[in-house]
């Protein structure tokens, strides 16, 4: 997926997994790690969906990451879906312990990791059992036959071997003794069998790299860097990788390889890199701090799937970033709010359970009117819930999960790369309006990846901040004083005074403030005024109007989304339009306040459908605020929507 989406006219066939992959057959002389140069048939495809699956200790995430990196460097558009168990090490060979990584790459603009894999790499019986239902008939399955012993098959409920009972007859099955071949390839490295077996994922990666003409130099360089302190392990992994490539080149079982050309027309001109949502968000926070000329402070407690942001930001002290791993969620946000008081761009990162613990301090930040970014990487709940699965169920918590009237702006990115821009936007709002801001990402965006165009510095917004430097109010007797709650007439933001600035001493705390002076006040009229003023400040935040994608303005049905549903919704809309259906699409980034034209847009259509990975939280807000009969289409199974699933539901809505 790219930052710029092709128009329906550009992709009139409704692609992104919506058509049968086109093929061109050619003969080709190939060279590679072994430089065998044997001539085999090459078929050119426009897109492929590959899923690597195995035990959580089999290195499927690393294998997928490396294949993705090489695919990105080759110039394909891509989208990924890592899927792994919550347990640190689930029981080996069991269904709950299966880890998978799905990659969709193409020669054109795509939007999702794909509905179903064209190729499944199954490292053991559990991986096959857990994923076979998603694999369409006729697809290729590469099976590590070494792991299909009776005990391993019985552990996942196979009474007979699927390799022999005919249950896989509808697929193009490639039985490969991956473990045996890997051990044989590494016999000269002096490794134990167990140590050698660990490299079987690199053998599989080499084989798939041959099958799809992926570059190899980057992976070999990566392995030597990753295992720089253990050069013998590095070379063993490189050898296994090369052995897998050479096996594909020489074996008769793989008579065909495939090419997917670079997506030369999918990207605007620029320099690109592959990026995950959490990494893009981290870079966005760093960029925001530089554009604001403020030190970046992260007060955080590790929690899946937000921990990667803490890990990444801790690497960037050279950019003035300070990270604090607190003893708990409450301490993390408390430290961040203190840093905001001290003049930093302050951030706290967490997931849903952590938001619950931080709620009192978020309310304090509302009362103090200080800029603070609360980054919530949503996951399945309630309570501990599904730590490694995705969900969008924290929207109402972000909107209302505090005591009293405590309004907080809410911003949501729509793709992994968009997390960078969303972080900049959240920082703009926090700094301009002196308020805490929620940034609602989720596990799907956080762990997924796509190409990202690295922006030029000139494209980044100016987030410069003016701190209070002296008195801002004159008393009746002519005395000049500093009032900490005297507001900017346009933004209603109060001044930001750095501690220690002479003459700007002021009271701070959670008890209600007197308008202007900031002194403690229990006056009912003052409390009413302050509550309404804080709400008016949030309501008055300047956000762009909602953009509508409605070719010809003929549609009577609007599909409205937010956050990570953007890819599946847009892919579904493309499918419907390619089939001759008329449907409009809009996607919200700002959830509080809503864009000012949202009500007008909603009333333009006979039917509004809101797909969400929750039980209808945005639809509830839309119905309450605009009195529009928004129809929910919901899913809470820990996985993102599939494009075909949404296309079917939206077609029913059009013709209802």
């Amino acid at each position: 997926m790219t930052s710029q989406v092709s128009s329906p006219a550009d992709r009139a066939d409704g692609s992104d997994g919506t058509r049968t992959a086109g093929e061109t057959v050619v003969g080709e002389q190939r060279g590679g790690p072994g430089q065998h140069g044997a001539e085999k048939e090459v078929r050119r495809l426009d897109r492929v969906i590959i899923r690597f699956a195995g035990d959580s200790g089999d290195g499927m995430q690393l294998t997928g990451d490396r294949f993705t990196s090489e695919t990105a460097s080759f110039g394909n558009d891509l989208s990924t879906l890592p899927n792994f168990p919550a347990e640190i090490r689930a029981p080996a060979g069991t269904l709950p312990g299966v880890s998978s990584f799905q990659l969709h790459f193409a020669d054109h603009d795509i939007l999702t990791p794909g509905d179903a894999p064209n190729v499944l790499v199954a490292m053991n019986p559990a991986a096959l059992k857990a994923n076979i239902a998603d694999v369409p008939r006729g697809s290729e399955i590469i099976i590590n036959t070494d792991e299909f012993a009776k005990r391993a098959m019985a552990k996942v409920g196979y009474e007979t071997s699927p390799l022999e009972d005919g249950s896989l007859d509808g697929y193009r099955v490639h039985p490969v003794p991956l473990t045996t071949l890997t051990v044989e390839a590494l016999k000269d490295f002096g490794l134990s069998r167990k140590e050698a077996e660990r490299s079987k994922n690199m053998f599989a990666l080499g084989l798939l790299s041959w099958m799809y003409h992926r570059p190899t130099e980057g992976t070999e360089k990566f392995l030597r860097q990753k295992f720089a302190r253990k050069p013998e392990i590095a070379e063993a992994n490189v050898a296994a990788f090369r052995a897998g490539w050479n096996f594909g080149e020489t074996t008769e079982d793989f008579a065909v390889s495939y090419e997917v050309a670079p997506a030369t027309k999918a990207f605007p001109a620029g320099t690109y890199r592959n990026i995950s949502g959490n990494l893009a968000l981290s870079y966005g926070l760093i960029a925001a701090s530089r554009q604001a000329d403020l030190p970046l402070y992260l007060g955080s407690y590790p929690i899946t799937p937000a921990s990667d942001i803490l890990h990444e930001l801790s690497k960037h002290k050279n950019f003035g970033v300070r990270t604090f791993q607190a003893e708990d969620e409450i301490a993390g946000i408390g430290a961040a709010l203190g840093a905001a008081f001290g003049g930093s761009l302050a951030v706290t990162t967490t997931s849903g359970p952590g938001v619950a613990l931080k709620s009192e301090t978020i309310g304090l930040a509302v009362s103090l009117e200080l800029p603070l970014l609360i980054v919530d990487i949503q996951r399945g709940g309630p309570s501990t819930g599904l730590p490694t699965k995705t969900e969008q169920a924290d929207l109402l918590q972000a909107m209302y999960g505090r005591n009293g009237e405590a309004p907080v702006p809410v911003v949501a990115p729509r793709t992994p790369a968009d997390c960078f821009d969303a972080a900049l936007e959240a920082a703009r709002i926090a700094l301009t309006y002196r308020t805490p801001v929620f940034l609602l990402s989720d596990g799907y965006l956080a762990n997924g990846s796509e190409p990202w165009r690295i922006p030029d510095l000139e494209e980044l917004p100016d987030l410069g901040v003016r701190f209070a430097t002296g008195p801002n109010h004159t008393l009746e007797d002519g005395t000049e004083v500093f009032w900490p709650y005297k507001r900017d007439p346009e933004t209603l933001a109060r001044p930001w005074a750095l501690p220690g600035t002479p003459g700007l001493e002021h009271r701070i705390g959670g008890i209600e403030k007197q308008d202007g002076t900031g002194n403690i006040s229990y006056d009912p009229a003052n409390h009413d005024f302050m509550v309404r003023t804080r709400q008016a400040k949030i309501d008055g935040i300047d956000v762009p109007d909602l953009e509508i994608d409605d070719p010809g303005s003929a549609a009577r049905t609007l599909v409205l989304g937010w956050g990570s549903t953007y890819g599946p919704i847009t892919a579904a809309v493309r499918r419907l339009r390619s089939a001759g259906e008329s449907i409009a699409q809009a996607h919200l980034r700002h959830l509080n306040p809503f864009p000012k034209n949202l009500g007008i847009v909603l009333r333009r259509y006979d039917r509004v459908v809101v797909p969400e990975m929750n039980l209808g939280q945005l639809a509830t807000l839309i119905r309450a605020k605009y009195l529009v009969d928004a129809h929910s289409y919901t899913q809470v199974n820990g996985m993102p929507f599939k494009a075909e699933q949404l296309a079917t539901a939206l077609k029913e809505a059009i013709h209802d």
Side-chain angles (χ1 to χ4, degrees):
M1 191 192 310
T2 64
S3 303
Q4 178 173 305
V5 179
S6 299
S7 68
D10 295 329
R11 302 301 321 165
D13 53 17
S15 61
D16 189 48
T18 66
R19 58 178 172 177
T20 303
E23 294 187 358
T24 303
V25 182
V26 297
E28 187 176 274
Q29 191 89 3
R30 294 188 61 196
Q35 296 297 319
H36 295 288
E39 184 173 333
K40 288 193 174 185
E41 181 183 328
V42 178
R43 296 180 183 175
R44 290 179 180 154
L45 308 176
D46 61 356
R47 61 176 181 85
V48 174
I49 303 168
I50 298 174
R51 184 182 297 177
F52 299 92
D55 267 337
S56 58
D58 281 341
M60 294 298 92
Q61 303 304 318
L62 176 62
T63 304
D65 282 340
R66 286 314 314 161
F67 196 93
T68 299
S69 294
E70 298 297 356
T71 297
S73 68
F74 188 72
N76 295 119
D77 196 9
L78 62 89
S79 181
T80 68
L81 178 62
N83 186 20
F84 38 86
E87 292 83 357
I88 294 174
R89 183 58 63 86
T94 64
L95 294 176
V98 173
S99 174
S100 67
F101 188 105
Q102 184 161 304
L103 166 68
H104 183 190
F105 60 103
D107 65 2
H108 56 272
D109 170 46
I110 58 175
L111 297 157
T112 75
D115 286 359
N118 307 119
V119 182
L120 172 65
V121 180
M123 302 296 282
N124 61 15
L128 180 65
K129 182 97 171 184
N131 291 280
I132 190 64
D134 294 336
V135 183
R137 295 280 175 169
S139 299
E140 293 192 84
I141 303 177
I142 299 172
I143 295 179
N144 180 15
T145 56
D146 287 327
E147 300 298 320
F148 278 70
K150 283 187 177 181
R151 183 177 179 183
M153 290 187 289
K155 189 181 291 188
V156 296
Y158 280 126
E159 296 181 0
T160 59
S161 172
L163 302 178
E164 301 170 354
D165 63 9
S167 60
L168 299 179
D169 287 351
Y171 305 91
R172 291 181 285 170
V173 178
H174 300 279
V176 180
L178 286 171
T179 307
T180 299
L181 291 172
T182 302
V183 172
E184 178 65 20
L186 303 184
K187 64 182 180 180
D188 295 332
F189 282 83
L191 302 175
S192 68
R193 180 177 178 86
K194 186 174 182 180
E195 289 174 327
E197 286 179 359
R198 290 175 181 164
S199 296
K200 64 180 179 289
N201 63 324
M202 288 298 104
F203 189 101
L205 177 60
L207 173 58
L208 269 292
S209 297
W210 174 84
M211 282 183 66
Y212 291 98
H213 295 220
R214 298 298 92 184
T216 59
E217 295 81 3
T219 294
E220 294 189 10
K221 181 179 179 181
F222 167 83
L223 291 171
R224 291 190 172 102
Q225 290 176 342
K226 180 176 177 64
F227 299 104
R229 295 182 181 180
K230 297 181 178 179
E232 70 282 359
I233 299 297
E235 292 308 316
N237 277 284
V238 170
F241 175 71
R242 291 180 172 179
W245 198 98
N246 291 331
F247 177 77
E249 181 76 356
T250 57
T251 183
E252 294 182 1
D253 191 37
F254 292 91
V256 177
S257 65
Y258 304 91
E259 274 190 353
V260 181
T264 54
K265 297 181 180 180
F267 304 116
T271 302
Y272 287 79
R273 60 156 294 167
N274 184 52
I275 201 165
S276 69
N278 273 351
L279 184 57
L281 202 155
S282 300
Y283 287 174
L285 293 173
I286 296 171
S289 75
R290 294 299 81 212
Q291 293 303 104
D293 195 22
L294 298 176
L296 178 63
Y297 184 94
L298 174 67
S300 185
Y301 180 76
I303 183 171
T304 302
S307 299
D308 287 342
I309 302 172
L310 172 61
H311 300 160
E312 183 61 33
L313 289 180
S314 68
K315 302 174 184 178
H316 297 288
K317 296 180 178 66
N318 57 313
F319 286 113
V321 179
R322 179 173 295 178
T323 54
F324 170 55
Q325 181 175 321
E327 64 269 28
D328 56 39
E329 296 281 6
I330 299 171
I333 190 172
L337 185 56
F341 178 64
S344 293
L345 176 59
V347 185
T348 189
T349 53
T350 189
S351 190
V355 175
L357 292 166
K358 296 177 189 291
S359 61
E360 184 178 5
T361 307
I362 297 171
L364 177 59
V366 172
S367 177
L368 299 182
E369 301 190 46
L370 285 170
L372 173 66
L373 302 185
I374 305 110
V375 178
D376 178 7
I377 312 298
Q378 301 166 95
R379 73 189 204 191
S383 188
T384 306
L386 305 173
T388 61
K389 309 303 179 182
T390 196
E391 204 164 271
Q392 288 183 298
D394 295 350
L395 176 56
L396 294 183
Q397 183 182 30
M399 288 285 291
Y400 302 121
R402 294 162 294 283
N403 65 293
E405 296 289 348
V408 173
V410 180
V411 176
R414 65 185 190 178
T415 71
D418 188 48
C419 289
F420 177 87
D421 295 320
L424 285 165
E425 175 64 359
R428 177 191 73 85
I429 293 173
L431 295 172
T432 302
Y433 296 91
R434 310 284 196 268
T435 178
V437 177
F438 262 101
L439 180 57
L440 290 184
S441 180
D442 60 39
Y444 174 38
L445 296 183
N447 297 316
S449 63
E450 65 177 347
W452 172 57
R453 187 181 69 83
I454 301 173
D456 294 328
L457 289 177
E458 297 75 22
E459 300 175 45
L460 301 180
D462 180 6
L463 301 179
V465 173
R466 293 178 60 184
F467 290 107
T469 57
N472 62 357
H473 184 75
T474 303
L475 300 177
E476 291 181 1
D477 63 2
T479 304
E480 292 187 338
V481 296
F482 174 67
W483 275 15
Y485 281 82
K486 187 169 185 175
R487 302 179 182 279
D488 181 297
E490 292 186 7
T491 64
L492 298 182
R494 76 174 187 89
W496 195 1
L498 293 181
T501 306
L504 303 190
E505 299 85 356
H506 60 283
R507 187 184 304 273
I508 197 167
I511 299 177
E512 183 63 281
K513 313 295 185 297
Q514 184 182 56
D515 177 41
T517 68
N519 296 330
I520 290 175
S521 173
Y522 295 102
D523 178 64
N526 177 78
H527 176 59
D528 183 274
F529 178 81
M530 293 295 281
V531 167
R532 295 181 188 278
T533 300
R534 287 189 289 263
Q535 184 65 58
K537 180 173 71 169
I538 303 307
D539 292 342
I541 291 174
D542 181 25
V543 302
D545 278 350
L546 182 65
E547 296 182 359
I548 312 301
D549 178 13
D550 185 1
S553 300
R556 305 313 311 155
T557 298
L558 170 71
V559 54
L560 179 69
W562 70 278
S564 65
T565 57
Y566 173 79
I569 289 174
T570 307
V573 167
R574 288 185 182 181
R575 293 185 184 209
L576 291 173
R577 289 177 180 168
S578 67
E581 302 287 355
S582 182
I583 187 169
Q585 178 188 358
H587 208 78
L588 288 166
R589 162 169 285 180
H590 297 90
L591 296 153
N592 192 32
F594 286 129
K596 290 181 173 58
N597 69 331
L598 177 56
I600 297 172
V601 169
L602 294 173
R603 294 185 185 95
R604 190 185 302 169
Y605 295 92
D606 297 336
R607 182 175 293 266
V608 177
V609 182
V610 185
E612 297 180 79
M613 292 187 293
N614 56 47
L615 294 183
Q617 296 187 14
L618 175 61
T620 297
L621 295 174
I622 292 295
R623 292 188 191 112
K625 185 174 180 64
Y626 299 105
L627 302 181
V628 169
D629 186 21
H631 295 259
S632 284
Y633 183 77
T634 62
Q635 172 177 295
V636 282
N637 62 5
M639 297 294 288
F641 284 114
K642 293 183 177 180
E644 183 62 30
Q645 166 194 2
L646 280 180
T648 300
L650 294 175
K651 184 174 182 179
E652 291 175 357
I654 292 172
H655 295 286
D656 188 2

